[in-house]
Structure formats: structure tokens, C-alpha cells
Amino acid sequence: MKYFIRNFSLVAFLLFLLSSCDLENREDRISDGNARVNVYLIDAPAAYDEVWIEVLGVQILTKGNDESNESAWINLPYEKNEQKINLLALTGGNSEHLGQTEVPAGAISQIRLLLGDDNYIIQNGRKIDLKTPSAQQSGLKLKVDKPLAAGVSYDLVIDFDASRSIVRAGNSGLFILKPVLRVVAEELATVEGTVLPLEAGPVRVSAILDQDTVGTFTDEAGLFILRGLRGGTYDFWFVPNNEGFEEFLLEGINLTVGQTTKLDPVTLEEASEEEPDEEEEENDENEG
């Protein structure tokens, strides 16, 4: 199958979480001198019915290898679900396991995501293919520089922000896929919470720190989770999909590196009907 490597317009999000491993269990045992890397995909989806991408796999380059040497890249093919993933399902803490592999202890230098040609959205029951500019087919390698200790298992999480990755090309009716992802190479902060009522969803949740904004959407149960955030005091902006509810700003939430902060449930208020001003009322009377 012919494939190409997407050139990502922004950076990718890679969050490494150290996890324990049972070296006595033969199935979980890591070979001497190696580390294990699991790769997961999560998403902040766009406001479509479905967003489908064809994932062929990811490739990892360990430190000290020449990036121009294709044989030096460690390939993790994705072989489940006919290589199709609906990004809309990867919210509220859900993720898709893309694969795992053992690599020599030391450090990961770079990674890249491999996508196929069959990418599309479903909007109002209609399938719309996603086009990709030819300039993006050459690919862009993403630097990681993450140390790996022998005998340890790591999780690598790629955050695919579909809400910013799908661009409508003017009045042409074409939709263009320009993948937007984030990358971090250290343990950062996590926040999770619930937004009610469910009728307001999916609700766009934005975490704002200074000039930086990271976003996601709530899932069908109103849940959301944001990983890989820098420590600091954040404001959270909640924007409902249903115009019958008001937007809400939650200010001054402190997030600590290495910890998961659970927010109290957020309940959005119903939107109030705007009353006509005096000038409009007077015009109505004159017209009458």
C-alpha cells in the first residue's frame, strides 16, 4: 500500500509516563539492555460527526543514528481496525494503542507518524474526503530526545488535535488535512473533569496559560482530560456546542507537574433570551 508521511504544521504531543514492570513475569520481561515503548493516540476532535484517519504506524529513531538512514528507523506498524481510527472516539481519557516495541536503552531522538491516503470526515451523514497539500507529503521528523533506562517500560502519547487539523478551503467545498500535534519530552501535569448538562455537549474545553492554549472536547458522558500541560495557574474556557447554553470561564486553577488535578463538575447555565432594546421597540411600534 502506498503511503506518505504527513508534514505537521505545528508540533506533536508526546507524553512519557514511567510505569512499573514485572520482570518476573516472562510475558512482560524486557530483554537485557532494552527499554519498552508503548505508543498511544489521543485526540481533541473537531465538530464533525466522525473524523477518520488511516494510520499505518509510527517510526522511532534512537539517539546516535542518522535520520537520513531509513533502515535506522524502528517501525511500529498499526494493524488493527483495518488501520482506520475515528478520532472522535479518542476523548474523555480514551486512547488508541498503536503498538509497542523494545528499543536499546539510551534515548529516543525522533519519531514520525505514518498516515495512509484514506482520510475523511462524516458531516451530516455525508462522507467528505480530506485532501493533503503535496508539500506535506515529504514529512517532518519530530525531535524527542527522551532518555530511556534499561528494563523500564514507557508510554508515549501522541495528541492529534483534529479541531485545528481540518481546514476548509474557502468556497471550494474541499477540506484539507493539516495535522496539528503537540510534543513534550518530560512528565507534565494532567487535568480532568466533567461538564454538564450533557445536552450542551460536546463542549470545547480550553486550558489557557499566558499566551498558550491547549484544547479538547468532552465525550458523550461529559468527561474530558488534558495531558502534557506545563505547571502553572490556568484559566479554563468552556464553550458549548449547543447555543442554548452559556459559555463559562473558570479562573485560577493551579496545576502541578507530575500530578493529576480533578476539577469539580462544571454546570453550564442556559442561555438567556435577549430582550429588544428601546430603539428596536420604538421602531416596531412605528412600523405597526
Side-chain angles (χ1 to χ4, degrees):
M1 177 184 298
K2 179 180 178 181
Y3 68 86
F4 57 84
I5 304 170
R6 303 293 188 183
N7 181 19
F8 306 114
S9 57
L10 292 179
V11 292
F13 168 54
L14 312 167
L15 174 60
F16 288 86
L17 297 176
L18 181 64
S19 61
S20 61
C21 58
D22 182 6
L23 297 180
E24 300 300 323
N25 187 322
R26 181 170 299 178
E27 292 183 357
D28 292 337
R29 184 176 178 83
I30 300 173
S31 302
D32 292 341
N34 286 351
R36 178 180 294 135
V37 176
N38 286 282
V39 183
Y40 296 87
L41 183 69
I42 62 174
D43 173 50
Y48 304 104
D49 298 334
E50 300 171 15
V51 179
W52 289 90
I53 60 172
E54 183 181 22
V55 177
L56 304 182
V58 295
Q59 293 182 334
I60 297 173
L61 184 69
T62 55
K63 195 168 185 177
N65 287 301
D66 185 356
E67 64 183 57
S68 64
N69 180 8
E70 289 297 324
S71 64
W73 290 83
I74 300 171
N75 190 41
L76 281 74
Y78 178 70
E79 299 175 341
K80 296 191 301 181
N81 307 323
E82 297 182 347
Q83 299 180 317
K84 297 293 183 57
I85 297 176
N86 178 15
L87 294 177
L88 191 63
L90 305 183
T91 57
N94 296 322
S95 63
E96 179 67 23
H97 188 210
L98 299 182
Q100 71 173 27
T101 189
E102 290 191 15
V103 300
I108 289 179
S109 172
Q110 304 177 48
I111 74 160
R112 56 189 182 187
L113 177 67
L114 305 179
L115 298 182
D117 298 316
D118 192 6
N119 307 291
Y120 57 90
I121 61 175
I122 302 295
Q123 186 178 40
N124 298 324
R126 185 167 64 97
K127 178 181 176 182
I128 304 173
D129 290 332
L130 293 174
K131 307 298 182 181
T132 301
S134 58
Q136 302 211 17
Q137 297 180 11
S138 59
L140 174 64
K141 303 178 185 68
L142 304 169
K143 295 187 180 299
V144 180
D145 293 327
K146 174 64 181 178
L148 302 178
V152 175
S153 179
Y154 297 85
D155 289 347
L156 181 159
V157 182
I158 302 174
D159 186 2
F160 196 126
D161 191 343
S163 63
R164 299 167 60 194
S165 298
I166 300 172
V167 180
R168 186 165 187 172
N171 297 322
S172 66
L174 296 178
F175 286 79
I176 302 174
L177 178 63
K178 296 182 177 180
V180 175
L181 305 99
R182 297 188 299 138
V183 59
V184 296
E186 57 184 346
E187 186 178 3
L188 297 180
T190 299
V191 64
E192 59 185 55
T194 304
V195 183
L196 300 172
L198 299 182
E199 291 80 4
V203 176
R204 172 77 181 185
V205 182
S206 298
I208 305 168
L209 178 65
D210 299 326
Q211 301 300 316
D212 295 332
T213 300
V214 177
T216 188
F217 279 80
T218 57
D219 66 7
E220 59 185 12
L223 303 174
F224 72 90
I225 185 168
L226 284 168
R227 300 181 176 91
L229 302 176
R230 293 186 291 129
T233 301
Y234 283 77
D235 295 335
F236 288 87
W237 186 245
F238 301 88
V239 180
N241 182 60
N242 187 334
E243 295 181 354
F245 294 89
E246 298 281 0
E247 299 177 1
F248 177 69
L249 179 65
L250 178 64
E251 299 180 285
I253 302 298
N254 185 62
L255 301 185
T256 303
V257 170
Q259 295 184 10
T260 297
T261 300
K262 295 185 178 181
L263 301 180
D264 292 333
V266 173
T267 301
L268 302 181
E269 297 182 356
E270 293 186 8
S272 57
E273 296 184 2
E274 296 185 1
E275 297 182 359
D277 56 31
E278 294 181 359
E279 183 177 348
E280 290 179 345
E281 290 180 348
E282 183 177 345
N283 291 336
D284 291 341
E285 291 177 357
N286 293 336
E287 290 177 359

